[in-house]
Amino acid sequence: MKPHFSQLLEGNNLSFEETKALFNACFQEDVSDTELAAILVALKMKQPTAEELAGLAEVIHTSSPFQFELGIPAMDNCGTGGDRSNSFNISTCSAFVLAGAGITVAKHGNRRISSQTGSADVLEELGVSLNLTKSQLKYMLKENQIAFLFAQHVHPTLKQIAGVRQKLRTPTIFNLVGPLTNPVALSSQLIGVYSNEALPIVAKSLKTLGRKRALVIHGAGGMDEASLQGENKFILLEDNELKDGSLHPEEVGLSVYDNQKIEGGDAKVNAKILLSVLNGEPGAYLDTVLFNAAIALFATGNVDSIKDGVEVAKDSVFSGNAKARLNALVQYSQEIKREVV
């Protein structure tokens, strides 16, 4: 570990293989919290590269006991966090809209780290189990089009690092790499990032990791989600090529809202907001979810345009399909809990 750590301290980039060696050592050796924090800060100071992201993602993949092939196309819409926007759980809510539209979503997420309320916190508040077994996750993904993969559960080797990240309270390489580490074999992906600088890094990492199709977006006003506030920058991975683009909500028939209109709160507050969206209550919360779900539908290749995706997302909400996917996941979670008791 020490030679590669010294390289980082000197401001030098690591190769894909060097990054794998460094983090394999971190996960296998008796490394202190102080040493882990120093590595994360050193990477942050020099800015992680695409090779470093891909190398770390590969290590996390191979160390997860929850890796599996689903046998059908699956996607994830997990963002990086770290934008300090205090927004509600946009991608979590959008995931149910996607599932209601027939997309299989392996929703990967965590508890709050650099955000106010993480996806795990709000789903737990709603009654979703965070600790389903691999076979239970497979069942839900095939029968319900959505399951939640709690990062701390599916990546037990990262428990110590989660504690270090919580103490640092600042975005690190793990914010960027988190969405790349889903143990389910994904065919497509939507990732929101907290800065324009992170766009090409994450997009190149997705290409290195072999995603067939993906979209990485940075929202107006500095958000790690698509924002209704104005112009959103993105990079589309398609046919093994990276293509830059931008998107304004008015281009797809949605109104402009300031980001302050979509602020959330603690898990209880955000759970109420999520339910209001799935119940079709009009306003900035709903439109933001429709926007993000539409972009995710385009990222999967299931619609020809994001504008078409908005209509598909609306149908998922107003037909009740999106809320039905949440209700089914909650019901299954409660059934599993009763069986254990």
Side-chain angles (χ1 to χ4, degrees), residues 84-90 111-123 125 169 259-274 276 285:
R84 305 290 185 181
S85 67
N86 294 323
S87 62
F88 76 108
N89 300 94
I90 298 167
R111 291 197 185 278
R112 63 185 290 266
I113 294 175
S114 55
S115 60
Q116 191 169 1
T117 303
S119 53
D121 301 308
V122 72
L123 289 176
E125 176 67 26
R169 299 289 294 170
N259 287 340
Q260 291 181 341
K261 297 291 186 181
I262 56 168
E263 288 184 357
D266 61 16
K268 289 185 183 296
V269 169
N270 283 9
K272 289 179 181 178
I273 294 171
L274 188 149
S276 76
Y285 293 126

Side-chain angles (χ1 to χ4, degrees), residues 23-38:
F23 282 100
N24 271 321
C26 286
F27 297 157
Q28 294 170 10
E29 297 176 5
D30 185 17
V31 179
S32 70
D33 286 359
T34 301
E35 288 173 315
L36 283 173

Side-chain angles (χ1 to χ4, degrees), residues 69-307:
E69 296 270 352
L70 195 58
I72 56 176
M75 71 92 63
D76 188 12
N77 67 331
C78 177
T80 60
D83 64 4
R84 305 290 185 181
S85 67
N86 294 323
S87 62
F88 76 108
N89 300 94
I90 298 167
S91 64
T92 306
C93 192
S94 300
F96 291 103
V97 177
L98 292 167
I103 305 298
T104 299
V105 186
K107 183 69 183 84
H108 189 236
N110 214 337
R111 291 197 185 278
R112 63 185 290 266
I113 294 175
S114 55
S115 60
Q116 191 169 1
T117 303
S119 53
D121 301 308
V122 72
L123 289 176
E124 187 176 52
E125 176 67 26
L126 290 163
V128 174
S129 173
L130 306 184
N131 301 305
L132 296 183
T133 66
K134 184 191 289 190
S135 62
Q136 290 165 348
L137 289 168
K138 283 184 179 180
Y139 175 79
M140 274 285 93
L141 285 169
K142 290 186 175 181
E143 296 297 319
N144 192 48
Q145 281 74 58
I146 187 169
F148 181 66
L149 293 93
F150 179 33
Q152 293 179 39
H153 178 56
V154 299
H155 300 298
T157 56
L158 300 185
K159 185 176 181 180
Q160 183 184 7
I161 287 178
V164 172
R165 292 179 65 200
Q166 187 80 41
K167 292 173 185 175
L168 285 174
R169 299 289 294 170
T170 186
T172 69
I173 188 173
F174 275 87
N175 285 87
L176 291 177
V177 84
L180 303 173
T181 63
N182 195 315
V184 178
L186 302 175
S187 54
S188 57
Q189 199 160 358
L190 171 65
I191 297 179
V193 297
Y194 54 79
S195 70
N196 277 322
E197 292 74 22
L199 278 171
I201 300 170
V202 174
K204 289 174 185 175
S205 297
L206 284 164
K207 183 178 179 181
T208 299
L209 292 168
R211 293 289 187 274
K212 292 181 179 178
R213 186 176 168 96
L215 192 147
V216 185
I217 193 161
H218 176 59
M223 289 192 65
D224 74 323
E225 313 272 2
S227 165
L228 296 174
Q229 183 167 294
E231 200 77 15
N232 298 267
K233 302 294 184 182
F234 68 82
I235 297 178
L236 174 67
L237 170 61
E238 183 180 38
D239 298 327
N240 211 35
E241 293 185 5
L242 299 174
K243 306 169 185 177
D244 294 335
S246 63
L247 179 67
H248 193 282
E250 291 179 334
E251 295 175 42
V252 296
L254 294 172
S255 300
V256 173
Y257 287 96
D258 189 273
N259 287 340
Q260 291 181 341
K261 297 291 186 181
I262 56 168
E263 288 184 357
D266 61 16
K268 289 185 183 296
V269 169
N270 283 9
K272 289 179 181 178
I273 294 171
L274 188 149
L275 290 173
S276 76
V277 170
L278 298 187
N279 285 329
E281 293 184 21
Y285 293 126
L286 174 61
D287 283 3
T288 298
V289 168
L290 294 176
F291 195 33
N292 279 272
I295 295 167
L297 285 161
F298 179 70
T300 66
N302 281 68
V303 294
D304 294 329
S305 71
I306 295 169
K307 190 169 186 177

